[in-house]
Amino acid sequence: MSLPSASSNRIVLAVVASTFFVGFGGGVIFPILPNLGEVLGISAFMVGLILSANRFTRLVANAPAGVLIDRIGTRTPFIAGLAIEAVATFMYVVAIISPLPEFWFLIARILWGIGSALVFATAYTITADVSEADSRGTSMGIVRAGITFGFPAGLVLGGVVSDLWGNVEAFVLAAAFAGLASVIAYLIVPETHVEDEQESVKPWDLETSVPALTIGLVNFGLYFAYIGVLFSTLVLLLGERSITVFGLDAQGSSGMLMAITVLSGSVFTLGGGALSDAVGARVPVMLVFLVTSCVGFAMLAFGSRFEVLVLACLLIGAGQGGVGGPLTALLADLTPEERIGRAMGTNNVLGDVGGGLGPLVSLPLIDVIGFEAIYAISAIVPMLAGIVLVAGIYAHTGRLSPTVSESIN
């Protein structure tokens, strides 16, 4: 279906605002719970399980969320997902005052995983529905940036507000922003995906087309190297090489460098999508940014100076972000409208698998093969993703780099 440009822009901005505000709840807990756990009598293992519970839940919930969208539409799942995340954030407050804090924190993070699966799949599907082919990359980049910015904003909110006013106040404020996100979506975002009654869609009716699996595998590689390897090993690398940022210890220094990658990624998320619209083709833009990520990891493997590591993190962030907008736009270009929800679900599943598998593979191998080998392998991953991308797109379209108009079904 097509909507007027002004209406489309209004909907995309509402989606951006909603995903940004609700994202506070995802980040607010990280600066607080590791220190609060000891006070509340929560073991270190349980703290780790609580922080990871949303990702494990989302692995299971992503695909059914995509199926649900194709069955009943986007509006109800989007608003419901935002509301679930708001309730989950408020449950942090319940956990603090409860005699069983670990139980309530765990339930809150599981609910957050369910809500975020609904929100992520619907946000991209709504954007695909209301955007035109020649501006879809820009729109996807903007929405992806909104999702990306919400989490680090929550990190800052959790750290600053809890330090100035208290933990409960930080959680309440994050819950209030999540509630605001639900209100914005309810008032502004219409149904964009299903006009008439659809025939029944089974939860296991997943999208396994060549475009969905190709783009999902690229997403797997990006999350494996970026979220999985880089974020879980950077603090250890700095300690090993005795590298500090502004005199901070390894934890503080790694936080600064990760912030640099997130900021770089957010900027290039906007730029990559817009560039693919301007060029009129997604694949060349993605290949450039995949090479950028490869160079960043190669520099990280052998860099021993602060300036080199900063540049490496800038390049890795730019590569990750620059691929993001064109990647989801290409998936929407190549997928029939009635199956976009399922395709986004498949893409999210493979991305989460990559992000979860990265630490499991990289951390045990550091002591065996060293940082240089780990980051050298991570540099190869984007190149393999590029090969998968080109091969999959050629198999589906018969062209190595179809234009945007040629990609539309």
Side-chain angles (χ1 to χ4, degrees):
M1 68 180 62
S2 60
L3 295 173
S5 179
S7 177
S8 300
N9 291 338
R10 182 168 174 261
I11 293 168
V12 169
L13 291 177
V15 170
V16 170
S18 297
T19 54
F20 174 73
F21 286 136
V22 82
F24 290 5
V28 69
I29 194 173
F30 279 86
I32 297 174
L33 187 58
N35 289 328
L36 185 63
E38 186 174 348
V39 176
L40 296 176
I42 304 175
S43 68
F45 171 79
M46 194 65 188
V47 169
L49 181 61
I50 289 168
L51 293 177
S52 302
N54 67 312
R55 185 174 292 276
F56 294 135
T57 303
R58 202 164 62 220
L59 277 173
V60 177
N62 274 328
V67 172
L68 181 67
I69 291 164
D70 287 336
R71 173 69 181 91
I72 69 171
T74 53
R75 175 175 162 81
T76 299
F78 187 55
I79 296 171
L82 293 168
I84 290 171
E85 289 183 296
V87 171
T89 307
F90 184 75
M91 285 179 66
Y92 298 157
V93 179
V94 177
I96 289 182
I97 63 178
S98 167
L100 294 172
E102 59 270 36
F103 171 79
W104 289 106
F105 273 124
L106 186 61
I107 293 299
R109 296 296 285 174
I110 291 172
L111 282 177
W112 181 271
I114 296 171
S116 64
L118 290 169
V119 169
F120 287 176
T122 48
Y124 292 129
T125 304
I126 290 168
T127 307
D129 289 339
V130 304
S131 59
E132 300 296 333
D134 58 359
S135 63
R136 182 170 289 150
T138 301
S139 298
M140 286 292 188
I142 292 171
V143 170
R144 195 173 178 112
I147 294 173
T148 302
F149 270 123
F151 180 81
L155 293 174
V156 174
L157 183 148
V160 174
V161 175
S162 63
D163 186 52
L164 294 178
W165 290 289
N167 298 322
V168 171
E169 288 78 2
F171 289 149
V172 168
L173 186 58
F177 276 115
L180 175 62
S182 302
V183 172
I184 292 172
Y186 181 81
L187 294 176
I188 299 177
V189 178
E191 179 55 62
T192 64
H193 197 57
V194 173
E195 292 178 314
D196 303 313
E197 182 67 19
Q198 303 293 297
E199 57 182 66
S200 179
V201 179
K202 297 178 175 60
W204 52 87
D205 182 15
L206 307 180
E207 184 64 16
T208 56
S209 63
V210 170
L213 293 178
T214 297
I215 291 168
L217 287 172
V218 174
N219 205 33
F220 169 90
L222 288 173
Y223 274 80
F224 177 88
Y226 180 64
I227 299 294
V229 175
L230 178 66
F231 276 29
S232 62
T233 62
L234 189 56
V235 63
L236 302 176
L237 174 72
L238 297 180
E240 172 76 14
R241 297 181 181 174
S242 300
I243 299 173
T244 62
V245 179
F246 302 130
L248 298 171
D249 62 12
Q251 288 182 220
S253 297
S254 66
M256 293 288 290
L257 289 176
M258 283 189 279
I260 288 173
T261 66
V262 170
L263 180 61
S264 174
S266 298
V267 171
F268 280 92
T269 293
L270 298 172
L275 183 59
S276 74
D277 289 338
V279 172
R282 317 287 188 203
V283 174
V285 174
M286 284 190 281
L287 292 178
V288 168
F289 283 110
L290 287 170
V291 171
T292 301
S293 182
C294 173
V295 173
F297 274 108
M299 292 179 65
L300 198 64
F302 303 104
S304 58
R305 294 171 50 203
F306 163 70
E307 296 83 358
V308 175
L309 293 190
V310 169
L311 180 57
C313 288
L314 283 170
L315 291 175
I316 293 171
Q320 162 77 12
V323 173
L327 189 69
T328 48
L330 182 61
L331 181 57
D333 291 342
L334 295 172
T335 304
E337 182 180 350
E338 67 274 10
R339 299 190 67 87
I340 286 179
R342 276 164 280 193
M344 293 298 173
T346 299
N347 187 49
N348 291 339
V349 167
L350 289 171
D352 279 338
V353 170
L357 188 62
L360 296 178
V361 172
S362 61
L363 289 173
L365 285 179
I366 286 175
D367 293 333
V368 179
I369 62 177
F371 288 101
E372 291 81 3
I374 288 291
Y375 292 132
I377 293 171
S378 298
I380 296 172
V381 169
M383 303 307 295
L384 293 176
I387 293 172
V388 169
L389 173 67
V390 172
I393 298 305
Y394 181 78
H396 183 72
T397 66
R399 296 178 61 86
L400 294 175
S401 177
T403 63
V404 170
S405 59
E406 290 172 334
S407 300
I408 302 300
N409 282 305

